């Protein structure tokens, strides 16, 4: 009788322990799955941005060397754009220290911005639009 | 006496026809220049279709005009006709192999056509003659990056930043290449340089946010994405930032 009671008792303890484990483990497993999912979603969004609007910046609207001829560059000045080692707003110049071309001069009001020079459309890569 | 008269007459005829031919050439060149000038003006005002028609008029009068062919190519590029643009730049180079602007633009056009190997070889060719050309290093880096070689791209962007330390875009592209090669510390340092030069550079904050996330600093990442959203002018980037912030949570 006592042996039978002992077996029933052990089985009950084991059942309670298993049920307890299920209650402890299950809730902790669910949030893990939930937190992994947003992380993947965030990674996808980041990849989307880095392959799109936050992709490698090219030279904006002036990514080509400009026209030459009447009213435009000479062939020599166009070639200089390739050879020069510095640029300001994608116009290549001899070296000079950086200064914001849109900054207001001391004592004056800031210019209306942003400045957007006319030029050819931005090029597309892999469905990606480059530019600011 | 008669012979002298005939000789004078012959000389007169030759001189007159030469003069007429010269005058014809002169006036034809004037018309070519006029068409070309109008084309360039329209190009600068964004009327690429109108410009194309002017360049074509000029080419009809003078099919071998190098300058007009070059500008025709630029205009075709602006219209998204990259293959046709490349053909024009190649024609220019066949006529004048040291026409560097055409060579450079052919490289840029190759990038647009996803011919990255072609682009790389062109920029390398330019660099072999002009190793300090920041522009060629930068576009070589772009070709490397787009062809799936961020490690190589990083080196080219690094040279570009050395040649022109104030060039924000080169710092950003170098940071992006470093991020792709898991060099988060280096990428962060480059972004610091870019953001110091331009504190409202949205993409810089965005990439910093991505770095913070990889480092497991969710709160830091959130702050960076918020700055990116605040400074971004691109609506797509703004929207992506908002979505990421919502996903990260508090």
């Amino acid at each position: 009788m006592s042996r039978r009671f002992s077996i029933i008792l052990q089985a009950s303890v084991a059942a309670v322990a298993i049920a307890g484990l299920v209650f402890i483990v299950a809730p902790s497993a669910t949030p893990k799955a939930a937190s992994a999912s947003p992380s993947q979603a965030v990674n996808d969004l980041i990849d989307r941005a880095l392959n799109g609007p936050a992709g490698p910046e090219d030279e904006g609207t002036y990514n080509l060397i400009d026209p030459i001829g009447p009213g435009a560059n000479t062939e020599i000045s166009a070639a200089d754009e390739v050879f020069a080692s510095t640029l300001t707003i994608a116009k290549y110049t001899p070296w000079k220290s950086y200064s914001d071309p849109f900054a207001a001069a001391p004592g004056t009001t800031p210019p209306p911005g942003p400045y957007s020079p006319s030029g050819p459309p931005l090029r597309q890569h892999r469905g990606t639009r480059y530019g600011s | 006496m008669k012979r002298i008269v005939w000789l004078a007459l012959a000389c007169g005829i030759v001189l007159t026809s030469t003069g007429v031919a010269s005058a014809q050439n002169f006036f034809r060149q004037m018309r070519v220049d006029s068409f070309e000038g109008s084309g360039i003006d329209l190009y600068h005002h964004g009327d690429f279709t109108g410009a194309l028609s002017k360049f074509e008029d000029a080419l009809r009068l003078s099919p071998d005009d190098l300058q007009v062919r070059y500008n025709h190519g630029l205009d075709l590029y602006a219209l998204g006709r990259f293959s046709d643009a490349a053909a024009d730049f190649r024609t220019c180079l066949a006529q004048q192999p040291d026409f560097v602007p055409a060579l450079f633009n052919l490289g840029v056009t190759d990038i647009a056509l996803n011919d990255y190997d072609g682009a790389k070889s062109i920029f390398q060719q330019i660099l072999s003659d002009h190793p300090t050309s920041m522009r060629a290093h930068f576009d070589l880096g772009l070709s490397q990056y787009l062809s799936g070689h961020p490690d190589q791209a990083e080196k080219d962007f690094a040279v570009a930043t050395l040649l022109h330390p104030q060039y924000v875009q080169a710092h950003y592209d170098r940071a992006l290449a470093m991020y792709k090669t898991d060099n988060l510390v280096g990428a962060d340092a480059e972004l610091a340089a870019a953001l110091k030069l331009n504190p409202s550079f949205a993409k810089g904050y965005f990439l910093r946010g991505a770095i913070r996330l990889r480092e497991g600093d969710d709160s830091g990442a959130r702050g960076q994405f918020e700055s990116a959203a605040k400074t971004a002018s691109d609506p797509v980037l703004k929207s992506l930032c908002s979505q990421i912030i919502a996903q990260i949570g508090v």
Side-chain angles (χ1 to χ4, degrees):
Chain A
M1 178 69 185
S2 69
R3 184 177 168 78
R4 202 172 174 185
F5 177 76
S6 166
I7 290 169
I8 290 169
L9 188 67
Q10 281 177 10
S12 302
V13 168
V16 168
I18 288 167
L21 272 175
V22 167
F23 276 108
I24 292 164
V25 171
S28 66
T30 309
K32 262 187 187 169
S35 71
S37 177
S39 166
Q40 185 55 48
V42 168
N43 284 337
D44 289 346
L45 289 167
I46 288 172
D47 285 346
R48 213 174 121 195
L50 294 182
N51 289 319
E57 185 74 77
D58 66 9
E59 296 163 28
T61 50
Y62 289 107
N63 47 24
L64 292 164
I65 306 295
D66 279 345
I68 54 173
N73 292 328
T74 63
E75 190 183 324
I76 292 170
S77 68
D80 284 347
E81 288 190 38
V82 180
F83 307 149
S85 59
T86 65
L87 90 168
T88 308
I89 310 297
K91 287 290 179 190
Y92 291 76
T93 61
W95 170 257
K96 63 177 183 181
S97 60
Y98 177 80
S99 64
D100 183 352
F102 308 123
T108 63
T109 50
Y115 171 71
S116 54
S118 62
L122 301 176
R123 65 173 178 249
Q124 309 277 328
H125 299 302
R126 296 174 179 164
T128 296
R129 189 178 181 85
Y130 290 102
S132 61
Chain B
M1 185 63 183
K2 258 188 183 177
R3 287 176 70 183
I4 291 170
V5 171
W6 279 113
L7 195 63
L9 196 64
C11 285
I13 290 168
V14 169
L15 284 172
T16 308
S17 19
T18 310
V20 168
S22 300
Q24 272 182 346
N25 282 341
F26 175 77
F27 287 113
R28 190 180 59 185
Q29 191 56 49
M30 265 183 70
R31 289 183 67 202
V32 168
D33 287 350
S34 166
F35 282 133
E36 189 188 14
S38 304
I40 291 170
D41 194 44
L42 290 167
Y43 176 91
H44 280 309
H45 284 88
D47 181 359
F48 305 121
T49 309
L52 191 67
S53 140
K54 296 290 178 189
F55 293 136
E56 280 170 354
D57 285 343
L59 283 173
R60 261 189 289 277
L61 289 171
S62 181
D64 294 330
D65 192 306
L66 195 72
Q67 280 191 181
V68 180
R69 179 67 62 191
Y70 171 82
N71 291 328
H72 189 252
L74 278 181
D75 201 64
L76 288 169
Y77 181 99
L79 288 165
R81 291 170 57 183
F82 302 130
S83 298
D84 295 333
D88 271 344
F89 295 135
R90 285 202 180 89
T91 302
C92 290
L93 290 164
Q95 272 180 258
Q96 187 181 314
D98 63 347
F99 188 15
V100 179
L103 186 61
F104 187 90
N105 286 345
L106 180 59
V108 174
T109 307
D110 278 346
I111 291 180
L113 287 165
N114 297 337
D115 178 7
Y116 303 122
D117 288 337
K120 281 183 224 172
S121 79
I122 285 171
F123 296 127
Q124 279 159 348
Q125 187 185 335
I126 294 172
L127 285 171
S128 68
D129 290 334
H130 306 282
T132 60
S133 167
M134 191 284 289
R135 189 162 198 173
H137 280 290
F138 183 87
D139 280 4
L140 178 58
L142 196 62
S143 315
Q144 297 281 17
Y145 182 90
L146 293 169
S147 62
H149 297 102
D151 49 337
Q152 292 297 319
E154 191 274 318
K155 291 173 190 159
D156 294 310
F157 291 135
V159 179
T161 60
L162 286 173
L163 288 168
H164 189 2
Q166 273 72 25
Y167 192 26
V168 178
Q169 296 173 4
H171 287 291
Y172 178 80
D173 285 7
R174 188 181 180 204
L176 188 57
M178 286 171 152
Y179 173 81
K180 292 281 183 182
T181 53
D182 297 323
N183 180 358
L184 300 184
V185 176
D188 211 20
E190 281 303 314
L191 288 174
L195 289 166
K196 191 176 173 190
L197 290 165
N198 181 2
S200 56
F201 190 43
K203 288 163 56 160
Y205 292 114
F206 185 92
L207 187 53
R208 255 194 175 169
I211 291 170
R212 295 287 174 275
L213 270 185
R214 274 219 204 157
E215 291 169 341
D217 177 6
D218 283 13
S219 143
R222 187 187 168 86
Q224 296 296 327
F225 287 122
E226 281 170 348
S227 298
K230 202 184 292 178
T231 49
S233 57
D234 185 313
V236 177
L237 184 59
K238 221 179 236 304
S239 160
L240 286 168
C241 289
S242 305
Q243 291 176 60
I244 291 169
I245 291 164
Q247 292 280 351
I248 294 173
V250 181

